[in-house]
Amino acid sequence: MYPTALTQLARGNPFSSPLFNIQKVEEPKQSLHGQRTRTLAAAATSEDVVFGSSKYYALCGFGGILSCGLTHTAMVPLDLVKCRLQVDPEKFKSIGNGFRLTVREDGVRGLAKGWAPTFIGYSMQGLCKFGFYEVFKVFYSDLLGEENTYLWRTSLYLAASASAEFFADIALAPMEAVKVRIQTKPGYANTLRECVPKMYAEEGVWAFYKGVVPLWMRQIPYTMMKFSCFERTVELLYKHAVPKPRSECTKSEQLVVTFIAGYIAGVFCAIVSHPADSVVSVLNKESGSTATQVLKKLGPKGVWKGLVARIIMIGTLTALQWFIYDSVKVYFRLPRPAPPEMPESLKKKLGLTE
């Protein structure tokens, strides 16, 4: 059910123009072999938005803005303490100690330091992460074909999420640099408006993008785990844990499954991305340092400082992000893919049907 022409995909991409043109994409009735195509697309039932249309991609991007922007901003206090544990472990020895010292030195308002760059940066990241994930999932599925899309679906999730995150991190990098500088360098700056011109005057544009490679190191494995683990966990939950088919579940029951799968994915995300997260935190605190220098300075043990705080933060964060994103799809009546099923043509090849 995916559009098969790359030109149709390009026209349906809402990020190619600041103004979205809503247009219906014609879907092919049959494949080249006369079989009705299905792959990973949502069934076209009574949804108000056509799958693969510019409106579909635009609303997916909007869901990404809400899911990432709101959740990361809500986690700013914990994120601030986590960053300080990473860059100054001698002073900030634990999560509780970090909160106490921060409140003692900066007051309760000090826990909100960096909220503005967090909200802006992660909103932009969410737009690209979720929006481009939907685009690339369609694109790669068209390249693979129906049967290979099912057989190689985990690889498809990994490739689509990695491709999306590559662009998402470019959008995130400037505000991430500002956020970390505000949170980890006392006295440097307290607000976004104060920090940006100061960083630019000292290091130029490079100040905002020197952390993009470590961001890729942190975020691409994180996002690959986030999407692939979520997709496969949802599939397994409906197969082994939920006592009835997804089509018979209410929207509320489906969202509960989404939240559980999101939290499970979040725990694995935190573990695989934490070493690079430690490097990013130290790198953006110190002027003139490189990722290699920071990695040598932290050592094998240092890169794991603050892992517990990050597991708590990312587990909750990822669960809430998927819950919000799926809720946006429900609210706007967007097509929502059911767990993938083996195509009939593949069943015949494998002798699974009479």
Side-chain angles (χ1 to χ4, degrees):
M1 292 181 66
Y2 287 128
T4 56
L6 298 184
T7 54
Q8 289 177 325
L9 179 63
R11 287 197 300 269
N13 176 12
F15 307 101
S16 61
S17 170
L19 299 176
F20 301 144
N21 296 317
I22 299 174
Q23 52 183 268
K24 183 176 180 179
V25 178
E26 294 296 331
E27 299 183 9
K29 299 294 183 183
Q30 294 182 327
S31 68
L32 294 176
H33 301 289
Q35 298 162 341
R36 188 173 180 82
T37 57
R38 183 181 183 279
T39 61
L40 296 177
T45 54
S46 60
E47 285 86 355
D48 294 338
V49 181
V50 177
F51 183 84
S53 66
S54 59
K55 185 177 182 180
Y56 173 80
Y57 290 128
L59 289 174
C60 286
F62 177 69
I65 290 174
L66 293 182
S67 67
C68 291
L70 294 178
T71 52
H72 277 277
T73 303
M75 290 288 178
V76 162
L78 183 58
D79 184 47
L80 181 143
V81 172
K82 183 267 301 177
C83 287
R84 290 183 172 182
L85 283 170
Q86 291 171 326
V87 302
D88 194 357
E90 293 183 3
K91 181 178 180 180
F92 300 94
K93 300 184 183 301
S94 66
I95 298 175
N97 174 258
F99 273 106
R100 285 193 297 272
L101 285 177
T102 299
V103 172
R104 185 187 306 162
E105 294 176 357
D106 303 322
V108 176
R109 293 184 63 183
L111 292 172
K113 273 189 174 181
W115 75 267
T118 297
F119 178 73
I120 296 171
Y122 281 94
S123 292
M124 293 302 98
Q125 187 211 36
L127 170 68
C128 297
K129 184 198 295 277
F130 284 92
F132 279 132
Y133 175 70
E134 299 289 350
V135 171
F136 281 115
K137 192 162 68 166
V138 170
F139 176 69
Y140 292 141
S141 181
D142 283 343
L143 293 179
L144 289 172
E146 182 183 22
E147 293 179 0
N148 284 330
T149 289
Y150 177 80
L151 292 172
W152 295 88
R153 59 192 182 279
T154 301
S155 298
L156 184 145
Y157 303 145
L158 291 169
S161 57
S163 301
E165 190 60 37
F166 176 85
F167 296 102
D169 290 342
I170 295 173
L172 169 65
M175 290 297 101
E176 177 74 1
V178 173
K179 177 199 73 119
V180 174
R181 190 68 63 93
I182 291 173
Q183 291 180 338
T184 62
K185 207 165 182 180
Y188 184 83
N190 291 316
T191 64
L192 175 66
R193 287 181 295 177
E194 183 184 352
C195 189
V196 170
K198 197 169 182 179
M199 289 176 65
Y200 181 76
E202 292 176 356
E203 301 178 64
V205 177
W206 175 244
F208 304 103
Y209 287 98
K210 70 177 184 179
V212 73
V213 173
L215 264 181
W216 283 330
M217 292 166 56
R218 179 187 83 184
Q219 289 297 130
I220 290 179
Y222 164 86
T223 302
M224 292 171 72
M225 182 65 73
K226 174 179 180 174
F227 282 86
S228 61
C229 184
F230 171 80
E231 298 266 23
R232 293 310 299 261
T233 301
V234 167
E235 186 178 336
L236 291 172
L237 286 175
Y238 278 113
K239 187 175 181 180
H240 299 292
V242 180
K244 56 185 176 181
R246 180 181 182 272
S247 59
E248 297 178 11
C249 295
T250 64
K251 292 291 190 293
S252 298
E253 290 170 338
Q254 292 176 14
L255 289 174
V256 170
V257 174
T258 294
F259 184 86
I260 295 171
Y263 208 102
I264 293 171
V267 172
F268 289 100
C269 288
I271 295 171
V272 301
S273 64
H274 190 73
D277 182 65
S278 297
V279 173
V280 170
S281 296
V282 177
L283 188 65
N284 285 322
K285 177 195 174 188
E286 300 177 354
S287 301
S289 297
T290 65
T292 304
Q293 291 171 339
V294 171
L295 198 56
K296 289 180 179 178
K297 178 182 176 182
L298 290 173
K301 292 184 179 180
V303 295
W304 294 105
K305 288 284 185 180
L307 177 61
V308 175
R310 185 166 168 78
I311 286 176
I312 296 171
M313 185 182 88
I314 296 301
T316 306
L317 200 68
T318 305
L320 288 174
Q321 284 177 356
W322 278 114
F323 184 83
I324 292 171
Y325 182 66
D326 217 21
S327 297
V328 169
K329 283 189 168 184
V330 169
Y331 180 80
F332 288 109
R333 296 176 59 80
L334 300 184
R336 297 165 62 236
E341 298 176 2
M342 184 179 294
E344 290 298 323
S345 60
L346 187 58
K347 288 181 180 178
K348 291 179 181 178
K349 288 182 180 179
L350 297 176
L352 300 178
T353 56
E354 294 183 2

